[in-house]
Amino acid sequence: EDGPGPNLVPLPYAGRRILRKRDMRGGPKSLFEREGPLVLEIGFGDGRFLVELARLHPEWTLVGVEISLASVSRAFRRMHRERVDHLRLYRGHGRMVVRDFIEPESLRRIYVNFPDPWPRRNQIEYRLLQPAFFRMAANRLAAGGDLMLTTDHAEYFEFARASAKESGIFEESVLPPPPETLRTKYAMKWQDQQRPIYHAVFTPTARPAPPARETHLEDMQHALLDGDLSAIRQVDKHVRRFDGGTAIVMEAFRSLADDGLMFEVVVEEADLRQELLVKAWPKEDGVFVGLQPFGDPMGTRGCREAVHAVTDVLKTHGLTVRQTWI
């Protein structure tokens, strides 16, 4: 589930089943035209489990989160073929979605099926089911809600159980896996290899205080500079660090339309990685620098820092800042 990656390009809203970043701002419930128990799967793979859930529970509203672009594409095609209309997909980090976009006491269930176990000792911190995640999930689950884990990895299974216990607010039930979890891609693969499948249901016994939201949405930053872009022939990689993240100017490309420059900027902050385009182009009153809408950027502090990072680069080429504003 964990790993970097931007979101998908937008689809027409009337038929949209793949969420854009800004769609998440109002919370997943705002995306459905009807009420229903909200159920989340983190790391949905090719989507066959989510689609089967949709068939088994037409009364539910379902959101799937997955980091792999190929998996999101496969799941989208599957749900389109099955004509599922109460399921939404989001490409991104599960921790970020639960922390920043799910409201307290709003989830009926969280499914985690065959998560990446990150087996090496130096990868433990990347595992999803840490004590902090269990505490966060306990705040987001409604009364009677639960978190279901199914995995083939015995060590990860015991790690998750220990994490739930360490959180101090979950009780567990170790049970046979539900039939639908055994029909997922990986479940069938491991069963063919006669590997055991482990399953547990974690139910919160208390509701902790809500976690601090770390993805803060902000207005866009712009800048106006004096100078000449045409003299710039090469741009070196530039790193701008800020509280909570990093903005890295990777490359620059010259625009054929207006002699401007397009900068590729990678921003990493709080379980969120965005690949952004920042443009600098000449206008009558100077060189304007601003974030471009390509890739549906989420308006976090990182977007503002990306504009600042490009401005820093332009200053090294002799341009001077006249004005910055939000």
Side-chain angles (χ1 to χ4, degrees):
E1 177 271 327
D2 298 292
N7 203 2
L8 295 178
V9 296
L11 299 173
Y13 193 82
R16 184 182 305 146
R17 298 295 178 262
I18 301 176
L19 305 180
R20 300 175 302 179
K21 290 168 184 166
R22 64 172 173 262
D23 294 330
M24 300 295 286
R25 297 180 186 180
K29 280 193 174 180
S30 66
L31 301 168
F32 298 95
E33 293 76 32
R34 61 183 178 87
E35 292 294 325
L38 182 62
V39 174
L40 174 72
E41 184 184 8
I42 299 175
F44 55 73
D46 62 5
R48 69 181 68 189
F49 177 75
L50 269 176
V51 170
E52 179 157 4
L53 274 187
R55 289 197 299 263
L56 292 172
H57 298 280
E59 76 280 9
W60 285 1
T61 52
L62 295 150
V63 173
V65 182
E66 171 62 60
I67 200 61
S68 166
L69 176 60
S71 293
V72 174
S73 298
R74 285 192 291 269
F76 175 74
R77 290 194 295 269
R78 183 184 299 275
M79 62 188 289
H80 183 72
R81 289 195 306 269
E82 299 288 338
R83 298 184 179 275
V84 174
D85 63 0
H86 55 291
L87 167 60
R88 303 291 185 267
L89 306 178
Y90 180 78
R91 185 188 177 200
H93 298 266
R95 279 192 298 264
M96 183 196 74
V97 169
V98 173
R99 183 189 60 220
D100 294 341
F101 300 115
I102 301 293
E103 295 300 318
E105 303 182 51
S106 63
L107 283 173
R108 168 63 184 86
R109 176 168 292 159
I110 300 172
Y111 284 99
V112 182
N113 292 324
F114 302 95
D116 190 331
W118 294 100
R120 297 177 183 174
R121 182 173 299 178
N122 63 348
Q123 297 175 331
I124 297 296
E125 63 183 289
Y126 300 123
R127 290 178 169 178
L128 174 68
L129 296 180
Q130 308 273 356
F133 182 83
F134 274 103
R135 288 189 287 270
M136 182 164 58
N139 178 268
R140 300 317 195 216
L141 287 167
D146 50 36
L147 185 154
M148 284 191 173
L149 167 67
T150 306
T151 180
D152 66 295
H153 198 279
E155 191 275 329
Y156 186 88
F157 186 65
E158 294 305 322
F159 174 87
R161 295 177 66 193
S163 294
K165 184 176 181 179
E166 184 179 337
S167 75
I169 49 177
F170 273 87
E171 62 182 16
E172 68 167 23
S173 300
V174 177
L175 303 167
E180 59 269 22
T181 65
L182 296 178
R183 292 191 288 271
T184 64
K185 173 183 175 182
Y186 285 109
M188 291 187 291
K189 176 180 178 181
W190 304 142
Q191 288 177 97
D192 287 343
Q193 298 177 11
Q194 297 185 332
R195 293 169 62 167
I197 307 295
Y198 307 95
H199 179 76
V201 180
F202 301 97
T203 306
T205 58
R207 182 162 291 106
R213 296 182 186 269
E214 297 188 24
T215 304
H216 302 287
L217 302 179
E218 303 185 11
D219 293 326
M220 294 296 101
Q221 183 81 21
H222 307 282
L224 186 66
L225 292 81
D226 293 315
D228 182 13
L229 291 177
S230 63
I232 299 177
R233 291 289 179 263
Q234 180 178 340
V235 171
D236 295 325
K237 182 178 178 180
H238 172 70
V239 179
R240 179 183 176 91
R241 292 181 172 85
F242 58 94
D243 184 21
T246 307
I248 307 171
V249 179
M250 305 296 292
E251 294 185 79
F253 307 88
R254 191 163 296 282
S255 170
L256 298 178
D258 50 20
D259 295 324
L261 290 175
M262 284 285 193
F263 293 84
E264 178 189 350
V265 186
V266 174
V267 174
E268 296 183 346
E269 51 181 331
D271 291 325
L272 175 66
R273 184 180 191 270
Q274 300 195 79
E275 297 176 3
L276 308 174
L277 282 181
V278 176
K279 186 176 181 181
W281 69 98
K283 300 181 72 173
E284 291 183 2
D285 53 350
V287 174
F288 188 82
V289 182
L291 183 71
Q292 300 301 288
F294 179 82
D296 190 34
M298 182 182 290
T300 65
R301 178 180 175 181
C303 290
R304 298 179 59 189
E305 296 295 336
V307 174
H308 281 301
V310 169
T311 302
D312 292 341
V313 170
L314 294 176
K315 287 165 62 178
T316 67
H317 288 271
L319 282 76
T320 58
V321 177
R322 184 195 309 174
Q323 183 181 7
T324 61
W325 65 93
I326 298 175

